[in-house]
Amino acid sequence: KDLIELDDVSISSLTENKILGVTNVNGTNKVTLVDKPSSGTTYFSAVGQFDYNDLATHTTPLEYTTGDLQLTNDALGEYTFLSQPPYGVTTAWDEGTNTLDLSQLSIGDRVTLRIDLELTTTASNQTSLLKILFAEGTDDEYLQIISNELGFKTAGMHQIELDYTFDIRNNEWRNVPAKILFSSSDDASIVVNGWAIYIIRKSINILDVNDDNFKTLTVSKIQSPLTDESTNDMTVKVGYDGVSNNINAFLFGKDFSKYLDAYKDMIPTNRLALKMFNKTKEISIVSEITEMDYDATGNYMLATMVENTPYTNVSVDDKLEFAISILYLPPVSESGQETFTSTDNQTVFTLSKTYNNISVIVGRVVQIPTVDYTVSGTTVTMTEGVELDQTVTINGF
């Protein structure tokens, strides 16, 4: 049940090692303080992920001939990773029915689906589509095209990687398993590498209060600029700008970096704040994260910060307690398709609105992001000018 639906038991004061929970009083569920769980690395984490990798199609690819083909994923692949779910969610994919299982989510929760396929086409200028079928057989049934038209000039193997973000809009989207569908203008075969499912739980407003996720780390070094590429577990290194004298970076050890991994792909779609409490100086610090990624070794997470905190707020050997939270959750953009007829050698195309993600097709050839084009707000800039009178299709979602 949602907490707002429950009566509360009188709570006169906070108690160490107690958390907000539900207890049964004379047959009625009520909110009260309960014992904190002794284990559980994702307790109260509003952000999490599942990565389901397929094994079977690497031996026997899916064969497409006509209609809509339901994609499969047995979750038996080597890189399946399920140990960082958000609070209250144990799965997001049912490999038995090959459907998205969203039943443990709440209305308003946000899901980003990252699909990775190897598509082998059989004809020149073949076009394909990827779709999600929500709430099949109900009044809320909705078929969402998530790739729009994927066109390939030549037959052969093509790598497809795309993201699609959606909100849970109603109970039918939660309760009825959703299907990932494929269609094409000609025969094709498909190897499913897998899909990652990133979840932000709007209904969970308390983030990271357990001992595993709400870490206390010791400051081991303060440096301008921060050039070190490693640090020990349970420690953090602090970087600052030598001109402004404000903190601009943190480097975390392997243990805390694994926890942060669930958040790094949420930037820049969502604004995230790093919240710190300096236990030694008894100072609270909040700073926005502008970028977060692993260092060159792939082991240590480097968080780049908005420079709003003097580095003198921390000293070597200070104890900093860290948590992470969402500053802003932008609305999911509506999907749309915008079509242009190019002038000679045209490079810049202006969209009518901003989308979370886009795909670009010139004629019937899919363009590669960052290689063939870049996007900034409503402006799409091609790396090379488009020839005269070409149809340029930009799909937003």
Side-chain angles (χ1 to χ4, degrees):
K1 293 176 71 67
D2 294 334
L3 293 181
I4 58 173
E5 298 179 32
L6 302 175
D7 297 325
D8 65 335
V9 174
S10 177
I11 300 172
S12 58
S13 63
L14 296 178
T15 306
E16 187 175 359
N17 291 323
K18 296 283 187 178
I19 63 171
L20 191 66
V22 177
T23 189
N24 189 281
V25 179
N26 297 324
T28 302
N29 287 327
K30 293 178 178 265
V31 176
T32 186
L33 295 177
V34 298
D35 291 334
K36 176 183 171 181
S38 59
S39 63
T41 60
T42 58
Y43 197 78
F44 272 9
S45 181
V47 176
Q49 69 181 68
F50 299 93
D51 198 341
Y52 298 94
N53 280 235
D54 183 66
L55 179 63
T57 60
H58 284 265
T59 302
T60 307
L62 300 174
E63 297 297 334
Y64 175 83
T65 55
T66 187
D68 285 328
L69 174 67
Q70 183 178 353
L71 298 187
T72 62
N73 186 333
D74 61 16
L76 297 177
E78 178 182 359
Y79 299 106
T80 291
F81 180 77
L82 309 177
S83 63
Q84 290 294 325
Y87 173 69
V89 182
T90 60
T91 186
W93 177 256
D94 185 339
E95 58 269 25
T97 59
N98 289 300
T99 55
L100 289 166
D101 180 358
L102 309 174
S103 60
Q104 297 176 19
L105 302 185
S106 302
I107 294 175
D109 288 355
R110 171 167 293 186
V111 179
T112 296
L113 176 66
R114 176 169 295 173
I115 297 177
D116 184 355
L117 308 173
E118 294 175 11
L119 170 66
T120 301
T121 56
T122 59
S124 299
N125 298 317
Q126 186 169 338
T127 57
S128 304
L129 290 174
L130 283 169
K131 306 165 245 187
I132 299 180
L133 180 59
F134 294 102
E136 183 180 15
T138 73
D139 291 340
D140 292 310
E141 180 175 318
Y142 183 71
L143 182 64
Q144 174 65 58
I145 297 175
I146 60 176
S147 68
N148 284 294
E149 189 174 79
L150 297 171
F152 300 99
K153 187 174 182 179
T154 59
M157 198 280 282
H158 310 280
Q159 189 74 33
I160 296 177
E161 295 179 359
L162 62 88
D163 292 354
Y164 176 68
T165 299
F166 61 93
D167 293 332
I168 304 299
R169 298 183 182 180
N170 53 61
N171 280 322
E172 298 297 349
W173 282 34
R174 293 176 56 249
N175 297 328
V176 179
K179 297 177 179 178
I180 302 175
L181 304 176
F182 171 86
S183 63
S184 190
S185 61
D186 217 310
D187 292 351
S189 62
I190 304 165
V191 173
V192 176
N193 290 325
W195 30 78
I197 302 172
Y198 302 92
I199 298 170
I200 300 177
R201 301 217 63 195
K202 182 179 179 181
S203 59
I204 306 299
N205 297 316
I206 304 173
L207 306 185
D208 312 322
V209 299
N210 68 309
D211 288 342
D212 290 322
N213 288 345
F214 203 39
K215 289 289 189 181
T216 298
L217 306 178
T218 301
V219 177
S220 61
K221 179 178 281 191
I222 302 173
Q223 189 178 34
S224 176
L226 183 59
T227 58
D228 285 9
E229 293 187 346
S230 66
T231 187
N232 295 326
D233 284 338
M234 305 310 297
T235 67
V236 60
K237 293 184 178 178
V238 181
Y240 68 95
D241 182 89
V243 177
S244 67
N245 289 326
N246 287 332
I247 294 172
N248 61 8
F250 291 95
L251 183 68
F252 297 98
K254 293 181 180 179
D255 187 36
F256 197 67
S257 293
K258 292 178 182 178
Y259 157 64
L260 291 175
D261 186 77
Y263 290 89
K264 72 181 182 70
D265 290 323
M266 301 299 174
I267 304 172
T269 306
N270 303 282
R271 295 176 59 197
L272 300 182
L274 194 63
K275 296 184 177 182
M276 298 152 274
F277 179 68
N278 189 329
K279 291 183 174 181
T280 306
K281 292 184 170 61
E282 296 187 347
I283 298 173
S284 293
I285 303 169
V286 179
S287 186
E288 184 176 350
I289 305 169
T290 59
E291 186 178 359
M292 190 159 58
D293 209 345
Y294 288 103
D295 71 325
T297 70
N299 294 311
Y300 307 97
M301 191 70 76
L302 179 66
T304 304
M305 315 301 300
V306 171
E307 297 179 22
N308 64 347
T309 303
Y311 81 91
T312 51
N313 281 0
V314 297
S315 303
V316 172
D317 294 330
D318 279 1
K319 305 291 186 183
L320 300 184
E321 192 172 59
F322 284 91
I324 196 167
S325 65
I326 301 167
L327 279 176
Y328 171 62
L329 194 64
V332 173
S333 62
E334 295 295 328
S335 60
Q337 184 177 85
E338 302 191 25
T339 303
F340 305 85
T341 300
S342 61
T343 58
D344 190 29
N345 206 37
Q346 184 175 350
T347 57
V348 176
F349 298 85
T350 302
L351 302 172
S352 62
K353 61 181 179 180
T354 301
Y355 299 96
N356 288 340
N357 300 283
I358 68 166
S359 63
V360 178
I361 303 169
V362 177
R364 300 180 72 87
V365 178
V366 176
Q367 306 297 295
I368 302 173
T370 72
V371 176
D372 296 325
Y373 68 90
T374 58
V375 59
S376 177
T378 59
T379 302
V380 178
T381 304
M382 307 300 296
T383 304
E384 297 182 0
V386 180
E387 295 178 359
L388 180 65
D389 290 337
Q390 290 289 307
T391 298
V392 178
T393 305
I394 300 178
N395 300 304
F397 48 96

